[in-house]
Amino acid sequence: MTADTGKAASEIPTPTEAITTLGDYTARMQRVFLDYVEQRTGKNGFELPDPAVAVEVFVDAAFRLWSDPARMAQAHARLLTDYARLWQAEAERLRGEAPEPVAAPALGDKRFAHEAWTEEVAFDFLKQAYLLTARWLQSTMHEAGGGDVHKTEMIDFYTRQFVDALAPSNFLLTNPQALRATVDSGGRNLLRGLDNLLGDLERGRGRLAIRMTDETAFRLGENVATTPGKVIFQNELMQLIQYAPTTPTVFKRPLLIVPPWINKFYILDLRAKNSLIRWLVEQGHTVFVISWANPDEKLGHKRFDDYMLEGPLAAIDAIAQATGEKTVNIVGYCIGGTLTACTLSYLAAKRRKPVAAATFLTALVDFAEAGELKVFIDDEQLASLEDHMRRTGYLEGRHMANVFNLMRDNDLIWSFVVQNYLLGKEPFPFDLLYWNADATRMPMMMHSFYLRNMYQQNKLREPGGISLDGVPIDLRRLTVPTYLLSTREDHIAPWRATYAATQLYGGRNTFVLSASGHIAGIVNPPSAKKYCHWTNPELPPDPEAWLAGAERHDGSWWPHWQAWLAEKAGKQVPARQPGDGALAAIEDAPGSYVRVRAGG
């Protein structure tokens, strides 16, 4: 028995078993190929990212590099020098010495965690040679951008995808763990891996839809999204959930959460031990959350304006009916935060003040440095995207999922290639990855407006740069107290970009930075005792100056936020039960909208 597979060497398949299995696999491969051809030639041939764009990027970069032979000669000389150092180090190791590595994996790089990558000379050499070549290629290709920021971002992104795909850990013959598993199991790991691969291709109807978790292990309302509550209002775009109290008294002012509609709200309510929603209820808040619809072609006409009017504005009015309270505190997460900022500016222009304080979680309003998502934002790519959405009415959920997975490709793609296909293992049940796979669609009108006006043209930060429902949006009108929480390793909303809001909003702003990333930095309950956060009451224009003067605190930012929020939540009143107010309960949380799957 081995730790890798738990299979004995005697379990080598018999010739009859092998022939039967391979015959079955051959038939499945044929069906998968036919599905792939149908997808590529049919109306759904559109892909994001577009492989043709990647090819164009590499061809253009290669032309630029080879047009300067002297620079290329210098680059090759650097690479040869590094290889010479590596050969010398490996020769010293063969003599029994212990030289320092010429190239070491980055901290947290799990691809080379197996002991053979360090203990066995051949695999150590292969690892270091790969790292040297990958880093050389990335730095050399970066120079081909020629000072064009967007072109350089595209080169960097696609070059990283290329070198990550070619890592020796991704291939059977160069992965020591996979080789050992193959020997120990008599090749059964490869048969299981092929079965997993074909299953993923069948699920994607010819496209590779990598299974990251055991999706059958989770059921909404049973072991994820379990905080008790009721849907008390709904319209075409959202259901409004009110959660049941767990304390005899609650803060007078209700709390409304506006989550992103690029994915589903229950990232904030996965399990009892890591549910931000449940924790807020336990702190004595009357919590409401918007559960967005998963739109199809019937909602393709919905605009960004509609998401504001039928989302937070409709929710605020419904909360007033349900509780009798004229003001709420509001929380906007990611694009839900962008929408919240627009809503508050809209309300200020209308001279309405139904919001007392606002919290923004990893929310962009200045898109000048919006991270790797801007790789996909230019006239040519947006035109192709809009042409596709005009034919379908929406953008399929898998496209945005693909983009987000590529932004963390080693964790969300290649690690599963190794585990599922080379080692032949079944994915482990993991609630976060179940949520990650529960993709949502984007309505055509809303998505086009958002990408062009914010990501491409960065008009939101300009006073009157955009108008919603006929009202010019000016973020300087946002004068309520704000709490801005960003995460230091965020790859979707980089913290230096989100920090820009502190210089735009007109009220009293508090900025806090959490360790970790876009999800883990937010979903970080105090009981986990993980990560840390930084605070600094001063808000200089330069985010680096803010960080230099910030104080580091161990553990979750949730208690710090609760202390801020409690000051703005009013006195204690008797707890409110969902459905006891003017709005009757429609159904139990988490509602029916969240259960609609994207289906492609």
Side-chain angles (χ1 to χ4, degrees):
M1 303 290 286
T2 71
D4 284 331
T5 64
K7 297 291 184 180
S10 62
E11 293 188 19
I12 299 174
T14 66
T16 301
E17 289 177 326
I19 291 172
T20 301
T21 300
L22 290 176
D24 177 60
Y25 287 164
T26 300
R28 292 172 67 186
M29 288 177 189
Q30 291 174 339
R31 291 194 296 270
V32 163
F33 177 74
L34 292 175
D35 282 341
Y36 173 78
V37 171
E38 180 182 352
Q39 294 274 7
R40 293 298 298 171
T41 57
K43 66 177 182 179
N44 292 323
F46 171 83
E47 288 293 339
L48 185 68
D50 186 345
V53 172
V55 171
E56 183 180 342
V57 167
F58 284 132
V59 170
D60 182 65
F63 177 80
R64 287 169 176 263
L65 289 173
W66 287 108
S67 65
D68 189 346
R71 184 171 62 178
M72 282 303 298
Q74 292 174 349
H76 281 104
R78 291 196 304 271
L79 180 61
L80 291 175
T81 299
D82 287 340
Y83 268 118
R85 292 171 53 223
L86 177 59
W87 278 110
Q88 180 180 350
E90 293 300 327
E92 292 173 359
R93 185 172 176 180
L94 288 171
R95 293 197 298 268
E97 301 175 31
E100 289 293 319
V102 176
L107 186 66
D109 189 342
K110 300 175 184 177
R111 295 175 295 176
F112 305 105
H114 194 274
E115 63 271 10
W117 289 111
T118 302
E119 296 174 1
E120 297 185 22
V121 175
F123 285 111
D124 179 60
F125 175 82
L126 183 62
K127 172 190 69 179
Q128 294 195 60
Y130 163 75
L131 292 172
L132 283 177
T133 305
R135 292 166 187 174
W136 171 83
L137 183 61
Q138 287 175 296
S139 63
T140 302
M141 292 290 284
H142 178 82
E143 297 174 4
D148 185 314
V149 174
H150 181 62
K151 190 178 294 294
T152 301
E153 290 173 341
M154 295 181 73
I155 290 172
D156 289 346
F157 179 83
Y158 285 112
T159 302
R160 193 186 80 230
Q161 301 304 317
F162 178 74
V163 300
D164 286 351
L166 293 181
S169 53
N170 297 336
F171 301 93
L172 173 64
L173 297 180
T174 52
N175 184 318
Q177 185 181 11
L179 287 172
R180 174 61 61 85
T182 302
V183 172
D184 289 347
S185 72
R188 286 186 179 270
N189 61 304
L190 300 182
L191 288 176
R192 292 193 300 268
L194 180 57
D195 186 66
N196 289 341
L197 174 61
L198 287 171
D200 288 347
L201 288 168
E202 288 165 342
R203 285 194 315 120
R205 295 186 58 224
R207 299 185 179 95
L208 185 62
I210 298 175
R211 191 161 56 101
M212 299 181 184
T213 186
D214 179 5
E215 296 186 11
T216 64
F218 299 100
R219 292 169 299 279
L220 289 173
E222 296 182 30
N223 55 5
V224 289
T226 59
T227 302
K230 303 286 185 181
V231 174
I232 55 127
F233 174 83
Q234 67 184 33
N235 57 33
E236 280 190 313
L237 276 181
M238 66 92 169
Q239 288 187 318
L240 182 65
I241 300 170
Q242 179 182 352
Y243 289 94
T246 60
T247 55
T249 61
V250 294
F251 290 104
K252 188 173 188 294
R253 184 165 289 131
L255 182 65
L256 170 63
I257 300 175
V258 184
W261 54 87
I262 289 178
N263 37 46
K264 294 184 178 178
F265 82 89
Y266 65 90
I267 185 59
L268 301 176
D269 188 31
L270 288 174
R271 292 168 295 163
K273 68 179 183 179
N274 64 357
S275 169
L276 178 58
I277 289 173
R278 185 181 292 263
W279 186 84
L280 286 167
V281 170
E282 292 170 350
Q283 306 313 302
H285 294 281
T286 303
V287 179
F288 294 80
V289 69
I290 289 175
S291 174
W292 296 103
N294 198 344
D296 56 18
E297 64 278 0
K298 296 176 183 177
L299 298 180
H301 64 283
K302 292 293 185 180
R303 308 161 299 158
F304 199 88
D305 312 50
D306 297 313
Y307 271 76
M308 178 185 72
L309 297 169
E310 299 178 43
L313 288 179
I316 289 170
D317 291 342
I319 292 171
Q321 295 180 63
T323 66
E325 295 298 325
K326 296 181 180 179
T327 60
V328 302
N329 291 327
I330 195 167
V331 183
Y333 185 11
C334 189
I335 190 176
T338 307
L339 179 65
T340 297
C342 293
T343 303
L344 294 176
S345 174
Y346 174 90
L347 288 168
K350 291 283 192 176
R351 300 186 182 278
R352 291 181 57 195
K353 298 181 179 180
V355 176
T359 297
F360 297 94
L361 307 179
T362 63
L364 285 166
V365 291
D366 184 335
F367 292 76
E369 298 179 27
E372 287 188 329
L373 279 176
K374 295 196 76 172
V375 165
F376 307 98
I377 309 297
D378 55 45
D379 283 331
E380 182 179 353
Q381 293 186 87
L382 286 177
S384 175
L385 172 63
E386 288 166 343
D387 179 64
H388 172 71
M389 290 193 297
R390 273 191 292 270
R391 289 184 283 118
T392 60
Y394 56 85
L395 179 66
E396 298 89 343
R398 65 180 176 82
H399 292 299
M400 290 303 299
N402 288 343
V403 168
F404 288 132
N405 289 343
L406 284 172
M407 292 169 72
R408 293 181 54 206
D409 59 316
N410 283 327
D411 291 333
L412 295 178
I413 297 176
W414 298 114
S415 67
F416 292 100
V417 168
V418 173
Q419 292 294 313
N420 298 4
Y421 307 151
L422 297 187
L423 300 180
K425 296 183 177 181
E426 288 296 312
F428 185 77
F430 188 14
D431 55 1
L432 178 60
L433 291 177
Y434 173 79
W435 167 85
N436 187 63
D438 194 0
T440 55
R441 295 177 285 256
M442 299 293 110
M444 173 187 64
M445 293 295 291
M446 179 283 299
H447 205 49
S448 178
F449 177 91
Y450 173 61
L451 293 179
R452 283 202 176 274
N453 287 278
M454 298 180 190
Y455 266 98
Q456 185 186 34
Q457 300 174 26
N458 198 18
K459 286 185 175 182
L460 179 56
R461 64 158 293 139
E462 302 171 9
I466 68 169
S467 293
L468 297 177
D469 193 36
V471 175
I473 299 301
D474 184 351
L475 297 178
R476 296 174 302 179
R477 290 174 171 163
L478 202 163
T479 57
V480 300
T482 63
Y483 187 103
L484 299 95
L485 189 284
S486 297
T487 56
R488 193 167 185 178
E489 299 168 25
D490 200 325
H491 60 292
I492 295 173
W495 81 268
R496 292 169 183 82
T498 60
Y499 181 84
T502 64
Q503 311 301 305
L504 294 174
Y505 298 158
R508 183 176 179 83
N509 303 316
T510 299
F511 185 84
V512 178
L513 183 64
S514 171
S516 195
H518 193 74
I519 301 299
I522 299 298
V523 184
N524 181 31
S527 60
K529 298 181 180 180
K530 292 176 64 177
Y531 311 129
C532 64
H533 61 280
W534 293 265
T535 62
N536 182 352
E538 302 297 323
L539 296 173
D542 183 4
E544 294 298 340
W546 179 90
L547 183 59
E551 181 181 359
R552 184 184 184 277
H553 310 271
D554 290 333
S556 172
W557 57 274
W558 291 11
H560 181 272
W561 177 45
Q562 165 60 12
W564 178 90
L565 194 58
E567 294 178 354
K568 296 155 182 68
K571 64 181 182 179
Q572 293 288 308
V573 298
R576 311 173 176 104
Q577 294 295 331
D580 282 357
L583 295 180
I586 298 172
E587 60 180 321
D588 289 338
S592 54
Y593 284 19
V594 74
R595 300 180 189 276
V596 178
R597 305 285 289 193

